[in-house]
Each structure stands twice: as C-alpha cells, then as structure tokens.
Amino acid sequence: MRTDLNPLTAVRNLGILAHVDAGKTTVTERILFATGTTHKRGEVHDGTTVTDFDPQERDRGITIFAAAVSCAWDGHRINLIDTPGHVDFADEVERSLRVLDGAVAVFDAVAGVEPQSESVWRQADRHGVPRIAFVNKLDRAGADLDVAVASIRERLHPAPLVVQLPIGSEDGFTGVVDLLRLRALTWADGGEPVEEGPVPEALREEALRRRRLLEETVAERHPAALEEFCDRETLSAETLAAALRDLTHSGDGVVVLCGSAYRDRGIEPLLDAVVAYLPSPLDVPAVRGTHDEKDQERAADPSAPFAALAFKVNATATGRLTYLRVYSGTIGKGDVVMDAGARRTERIGRILRVQADRHAQLDRAVAGDIVAVVGLKSARAGSTLCAPDAPLVLEPPSVADPVVSVAVEALTSTETGRLASALARLAEEDPSLVVRSDPETGQTVLSGMGELHLEVAVEKVRREHGLGVNVGRPRVAYRETVARGVSGLVFRHVKQDGGAGQFAHVVLDVEPWAEGFEFRSTVVGGRVPQEYVRAVEAGCRDALAEGPLGGNPVTGLRVTLTDGATHVKDSSETAFRTAGRFALREALRACAMVLLEPVVEVTVTVPEDAVGGVLGDLAARRGRVTGSTTRTGAALITATVPLAELFGYATRLRSRTQGRGTFTARPTGYAPAPAALPTR
C-alpha cells in the first residue's frame, strides 16, 4: 500500500511509550509481524529486532534511539515510532512526541505504572497527544490487569476505559473477551491467527458486569452516550465505539487493552483499536507557526503550501538523513525547500519511507507523512522546512538542560581534530548533548542527560569513528541561588579614553525568587529610558552565567532596577549593559549565596533479603527514603538522592544484590548542597 494513495483519514502517526523493559520494542515487532511487514518475529534477547538495530541497543537489550517504521493494517497506513524507555533518553521521546498524533502507552501487568511510565505520560500530556493503553505481559507470574488499571487511575489520573477481559491468568492466559462485541478472542500456542468465538460460559456473567461498568463510565463523560443510556439503559457497540474515540481524542479517558506481546497475544485487537480510536492527521488541530511575528495555521491538506518539521537527524559518513513530519502540502524529489530558521534554500535529493535502518524510495510525500530525506545540509532537529514562497516557522521541540558532564580527550594528539569532528556530529544528531571547551582547564567537556547517555555517546565515537578516547569522571551541573538579598546597591560605570565615553549609573535590589530569574524596573520620571532598562536586563542576564561561589550558573533571584542616571552624551545601551553585568556581579558577592545540586528520584527494585544493605548504601549516598512497598517477593524502595552520589551506583547495586537489583532514576530539580562540596 502506498501512503500517497491513502486519504488522510487512513493515516495514523503514533509512538510506543513506556518504562524501560515494559515491552515496547516487542510490541512493535509483533505489530510488524501481524501486518505482514516482517515475516519473522524479532526478539530483544536475541538481538534480532527491527527497531533496535544499533549495535549498542542489541548489546544492552534496551532502546536508545527512536526508530521509525511503517506498516499497513485494515486499509490504513500506520507510521510508528518506537521510543526509548530509559530516563537518560527522554529527549528522544520529547522530539518524537512533538510530531506524533497519537500514542500507545505500554504497561507491565506485574509492575503497573512505573516511574518512567509516569514521566513519558506527562510528556504526552504537555503535547496533547491522545493515548490508548496496552497492559502487557499478562502471561507473567503475578500479572493482574485490575491492579495495573488501578495504578493507571491513581498515578496518571485519566479514567481507564477497560474494553477487554482476560481469559485465563499467568501461564494459562490464552485470550481476551472483547467487551464491545461480547466475543472471545483466543490465540493458540505457536503464533496461530486469532480465533473468534462466543464468550466462555464461566466468564459470561463477569463479562456482562464489566460491559455494564464500561457503559456507565462512558455515559458519565460523554453527552451523546448519556442520552442513549438514559433512553435505553444500555449502549450499542457503535455508540460505545464512537464515544470511546471522542474520549480518547479529548483526553477525558484512556482505552485499556491487554495481552502478551512476547507470546503474540492481543496484537490484532490493539491494531484495531489504533485504527478505531487514535486520531488521523485530520482529527488533530491545524499546526500553528509564525511569520513576521504573526501567527498562522496550516491545515493538513496536500494542496496547501508545504510545511514540515525536522525532528531527527542521522549524520552518517555517507551523508545526512533528516527525518520529517509533513504537516501540510506536498514535496517531491528534487524540490527546493526553505529552512525557515537558517533562511536558506535547499534541494531535496531523495525521499525515503523509513523502516528502521532500511529505506524504500518514494517519489513524493504528502501532509500527514513521516519520511526521511537526503540532501539537506543545514537542517537540524527542530528546523522548519517550508515552501520558499510561503515562509513559516513551527515551534521546535524543547531541549532539556544537560545535568552530567565528562571531560573527553583523544588518546593521541594527532586524533584531536577527528575527535572534535565526531563530537560535533554527535551534537548535531542529539541536541541534548552539548560539547564545549572549558576555558579554565582547556578540556573538551561533553554534557548530557545522565551517566548512561554519556556512556552511549562515547562508545558511539569509539565504534563508528574508530577513535581511542579517554574519559574523565562525570561532573554534575551545579547551580547557585540567593538565600538573602541586598537592597540599594549602587554601581557607576564611567569610561573615558578619548572621544565618546561611556556612562551608566544604576541602583539594584536583589532578592530570592521562587522560579528562575525575573527582572523588573521601578524607575520613575524617565531617569533611565526604556531602551537602557532593557540593556540593564541584558547585562544582568549576562552576569547569571557565573556565580560567586564557583562560577556556576545562577538561578532563583529577582532583580529590581530602582534608580539610575544618564549622561547626555556618554550614555548608551552598551554602557548600561556593561553596568548591569558588573552591578549584578557585585550584588551577588554581597548576597548570601547557596550552592544547589541536582537531585533525582530513585526507584530501586531488590529482593526482600537485600533491603537492609540497599537502604544503608542509599543513606551513605545522602539519600532520603520516601517510600517502600513489597510486591511479589521484591521490595520497591523510593528515595531522593543527589545526582553526584549516583555515579557507579548500578555496579554497586548489582554487587549488593547478586545481580538481582535494578533501579531507575528521574530528575526532580535542585536542592541545597552541603557547604563542603566542590563548586566546580
């Protein structure tokens, strides 16, 4: 099936979201197999999956890079992105969610909602991406659909709309009851096709009870369903399906399905639900952008002016592959497009339908498509490509600030240039990686989202570029903040060295502020003109780059310009910007400052007999335990720990638990650091 023959109503752009090890990649593999896209089931543990094609992904058994695939089901084109589940690669998820219309959230039937499940759910909330839920691994010991659904209700807060009832449990799980049609769907061992039949007599009463509960829950939230429910005291399958679709699109409910991807059970109904409930490009609001500071909308129309967002770049040795979500218009091979941010035109060399690391050539791509193009030189992740005669800038995905840094250097001085080139290519592919040179030490510093993130980046340099690299101990990104401010600090900037001089007089108040940085002016009588006020603010922002405790960025303060003076000839924006910078530096030296360190919430899963040792180790790492629960013979410990204390924790945890302990971490912000900590 070719997408360019499909109407837009038959296109679904969706992502697979979940906590690490919930089964995202296996679900993707089974979808590809069920749709006939692949003819053999790939397995994560065998390293034979389509989407985890990178050598590091296969070695580690986790998804690191978001991979796009395309398949067809029931006359629909499904463009699918398998996203990472590890918190260190949350930026990959963020860029993917920016261009998706819907998502399937995968949950472990034993663990329910896990920490990273919650994080990616919140990311999808921010982007307004409709979701359906798939409770996976129902064949595992301890699997319980009702417990998993309860955790969705309690931790994620949507109304779970459960449309299936499992047939059998744990090893005996063989199928599901479809509560809309009240039919049983079963799968035999060996991956035989789904068989449809009547509901088993032993489950009929429970199925009717759950169908009634589903009808009541939907009627409470959907006016048309409520009207029919009041008239007939029941809902038809058609009304129920239409209401489920509306509630999914509005985010007022989440349809919940279940199965076991590893045993190939529940995939066909999941695909049917994707088609039935998740939106097409026509069902989502028109994309908004700006041109000449005016807001514009572009509808998902192949005949509209071309507009697309680049969300991923692969910079290979043979060329750059740029992944695009086409929002409006049509693009063909050889067409000229404009990079709206760089304000330059480029020619599209080739258009490719992406199948993870394999590609099929296309003549054109239309609104609603997710494709890769070859030939673009300047486009980066977040760049807007548009028709040259209809410029538009789309909002790029947000990029999180890096929290961990390591110093990297080539083994030999002759390879320094090659290392710089390799690191630049890494940063081009992954905007959450930042490469800079430390002005004090002269070292090249690589910053990222976590220890694993940096480990993967350095290993990529070694494997793909054949470079030997020395890596220093990771360092965290400290911040400084104001604990007690100062009032009425006077600063006069006067410079006279022949010709026009510089003069600026400012008076500042500095005080603690809850969020970030705020600047305001209370100057009256025009003593400081407005253009100079803006210059003072710019100078203050310059001064935030380095605090007095150790040269760390400063946050959490409000600066008020209370007074000032100008000179009729020598005052200028440059003079007031300089005054603002030096005045705030002097004010910060007079303030009581506090060093802040990044902290993370750690969830540790360990056998019950190892809890004591793990708690002691967390305490030694300045961890504060916030919760502990027991689930199927394992203890789940939640603690808040300074990020700096987590380096090497994975190895330590494995040694304390004979390899049976695992942990996940997610950033929760900053907290005051002990005074004895180093500041750089």
Side-chain angles (χ1 to χ4, degrees):
M1 173 184 290
R2 289 174 55 188
T3 302
D4 54 7
L5 299 179
N6 278 352
L8 287 179
T9 53
V11 175
R12 298 290 182 273
N13 294 315
L14 65 134
I16 306 291
L17 311 175
H19 184 89
V20 65
D21 272 347
K24 296 179 307 302
T25 301
T26 304
V27 168
T28 305
E29 287 298 316
R30 298 305 184 259
I31 286 175
L32 294 177
F33 183 77
T35 57
T37 308
T38 58
H39 303 289
K40 183 180 179 183
R41 299 175 186 81
E43 304 293 355
V44 172
H45 55 269
D46 292 336
T48 56
T49 58
V50 171
T51 52
D52 285 356
F53 57 84
D54 186 272
Q56 287 201 72
E57 293 179 308
R58 293 186 168 176
D59 289 350
R60 298 172 188 269
I62 61 171
T63 300
I64 296 172
F65 309 107
V69 291
S70 187
C71 57
W73 180 258
D74 192 25
H76 291 69
R77 166 65 60 187
I78 298 176
N79 297 316
L80 186 66
I81 297 181
D82 178 23
T83 65
H86 197 286
V87 66
D88 281 20
F89 308 105
D91 207 61
E92 285 272 327
V93 182
E94 185 75 19
R95 292 197 299 277
S96 300
L97 283 170
R98 174 65 180 80
V99 300
L100 294 172
D101 300 327
V104 175
V106 180
F107 300 96
D108 187 319
V110 178
V113 176
E114 297 173 272
Q116 191 59 12
S117 314
E118 198 168 343
S119 296
V120 295
W121 191 273
R122 303 297 174 221
Q123 284 179 284
D125 279 342
R126 286 201 308 273
H127 289 279
V129 175
R131 281 140 281 171
I132 60 177
F134 182 70
V135 178
N136 190 28
K137 302 188 179 183
L138 272 181
D139 58 320
R140 282 184 60 195
D144 191 321
L145 175 62
D146 292 338
V147 171
V149 169
S151 71
I152 293 173
R153 182 185 296 107
E154 292 162 9
R155 298 190 61 175
L156 305 181
H157 308 300
L161 306 170
V162 185
V163 297
Q164 293 177 340
L165 168 66
I167 299 174
S169 62
E170 300 182 355
D171 277 346
F173 171 69
T174 57
V176 297
V177 175
D178 178 353
L179 297 179
L180 268 72
R181 297 181 301 143
L182 289 174
R183 299 289 288 170
L185 306 174
T186 56
W187 291 265
D189 285 330
E192 295 299 319
V194 59
E195 293 183 9
E196 187 173 328
V199 178
E201 197 58 40
L203 290 176
R204 186 159 188 82
E205 185 177 336
E206 178 66 9
L208 291 172
R209 186 186 72 80
R210 293 193 180 225
R211 164 64 184 252
R212 181 72 176 181
L213 182 62
L214 176 63
E215 291 177 352
E216 292 172 353
T217 307
V218 168
E220 287 174 5
R221 291 164 174 80
H222 193 276
L226 178 61
E227 188 176 334
E228 181 176 317
F229 189 76
C230 291
D231 288 344
R232 301 175 49 192
E233 296 188 359
T234 187
L235 293 178
S236 66
E238 293 74 19
T239 300
L240 196 50
L244 290 172
R245 178 179 172 83
D246 291 343
L247 292 173
T248 299
H249 289 196
S250 67
D252 294 327
V254 56
V255 173
V256 180
L257 301 98
C258 59
S260 167
Y262 178 67
R263 296 177 70 174
D264 223 341
R265 293 174 183 175
I267 299 302
E268 294 92 342
L270 175 62
L271 284 164
D272 290 336
V274 164
V275 168
Y277 306 129
L278 291 181
S280 73
L282 292 178
D283 296 321
V284 296
V287 69
R288 299 180 64 86
T290 58
H291 176 56
D292 289 339
E293 298 185 357
K294 295 179 182 176
D295 287 346
Q296 293 186 14
E297 284 190 353
R298 291 279 171 88
D301 182 356
S303 61
F306 174 71
L309 186 71
F311 66 95
K312 184 177 174 67
V313 173
N314 272 359
T316 65
T318 55
R320 299 172 81 252
L321 203 60
T322 307
Y323 292 76
L324 303 180
R325 162 65 194 266
V326 183
Y327 283 103
S328 68
T330 302
I331 187 174
K333 178 181 175 182
D335 284 358
V336 174
V337 298
M338 180 179 183
D339 183 335
R343 295 184 177 274
R344 59 176 286 179
T345 57
E346 299 204 63
R347 187 177 297 277
I348 301 293
R350 288 181 293 156
I351 303 174
L352 306 173
R353 168 80 61 224
V354 183
Q355 206 70 7
D357 58 340
R358 297 187 293 276
H359 314 103
Q361 299 245 18
L362 294 175
D363 293 329
R364 62 179 186 141
V366 301
D369 264 340
I370 292 179
V371 294
V373 297
V374 178
L376 303 183
K377 295 181 175 63
S378 67
R380 301 287 186 268
S383 295
T384 300
L385 300 177
C386 56
D389 57 350
L392 185 73
V393 178
L394 303 176
E395 182 184 354
S398 60
V399 179
D401 293 330
V403 294
V404 180
S405 302
V406 292
V408 292
E409 63 179 14
L411 287 179
T412 63
S413 58
T414 57
E415 292 185 332
T416 301
R418 286 181 60 210
L419 176 61
S421 175
L423 291 175
R425 185 177 291 176
L426 270 184
E428 184 181 327
E429 292 186 357
D430 186 351
S432 62
L433 285 171
V434 176
V435 182
R436 63 180 177 86
S437 178
D438 189 311
E440 292 186 11
T441 64
Q443 291 178 311
T444 298
V445 178
L446 179 65
S447 304
M449 302 305 297
E451 205 173 356
L452 180 61
H453 190 203
L454 296 179
E455 191 180 310
V456 166
V458 171
E459 186 62 24
K460 195 169 185 182
V461 169
R462 288 177 176 141
R463 291 191 182 199
E464 294 188 6
H465 301 274
L467 287 169
V469 182
N470 282 329
V471 181
R473 175 177 166 78
R475 298 180 301 175
V476 302
Y478 292 102
R479 298 283 186 268
E480 298 177 26
T481 192
V482 175
R484 188 181 66 253
V486 296
S487 298
L489 184 130
V490 179
F491 187 86
R492 180 184 292 259
H493 173 63
V494 181
K495 185 177 181 183
Q496 198 74 46
D497 51 4
Q502 292 186 20
F503 177 89
H505 176 92
V506 296
V507 182
L508 301 181
D509 289 351
V510 179
E511 59 187 319
W513 188 244
E515 295 182 7
F517 169 73
E518 181 179 276
F519 180 89
R520 62 177 184 165
S521 170
T522 58
V523 177
V524 295
R527 291 177 59 81
V528 180
Q530 192 58 39
E531 62 268 24
Y532 293 166
V533 171
R534 288 194 293 268
V536 174
E537 179 181 357
C540 289
R541 290 187 182 277
D542 293 341
L544 297 178
E546 294 185 358
L549 292 182
N552 306 290
V554 182
T555 187
L557 72 160
R558 177 163 71 179
V559 177
T560 305
L561 177 65
T562 59
D563 201 2
T566 62
H567 186 277
V568 65
K569 288 185 178 179
D570 293 347
S571 289
S572 64
E573 290 187 27
T574 301
F576 272 88
R577 181 165 184 161
T578 303
R581 182 169 69 252
F582 285 109
L584 184 53
R585 284 182 182 174
E586 188 173 309
L588 292 175
R589 286 194 290 270
C591 290
M593 301 295 291
V594 174
L595 184 69
L596 300 176
E597 61 179 344
V599 294
V600 296
E601 182 186 76
V602 178
T603 302
V604 189
T605 305
V606 295
E608 288 183 294
D609 58 4
V611 168
V614 169
L615 289 174
D617 190 39
L618 287 172
R621 295 174 185 271
R622 298 190 285 124
R624 183 171 57 86
V625 175
T626 56
S628 179
T629 58
T630 302
R631 185 186 296 160
T632 61
L636 270 72
I637 302 166
T638 307
T640 302
V641 186
L643 180 64
E645 302 289 348
L646 276 186
F647 297 134
Y649 183 60
T651 303
R652 181 71 171 170
L653 180 64
R654 282 195 293 267
S655 67
R656 281 188 174 274
T657 61
Q658 289 80 46
R660 294 177 293 164
T662 60
F663 82 100
T664 59
R666 63 187 182 104
T668 57
Y670 283 80
L677 276 184
T679 57
R680 291 285 286 182

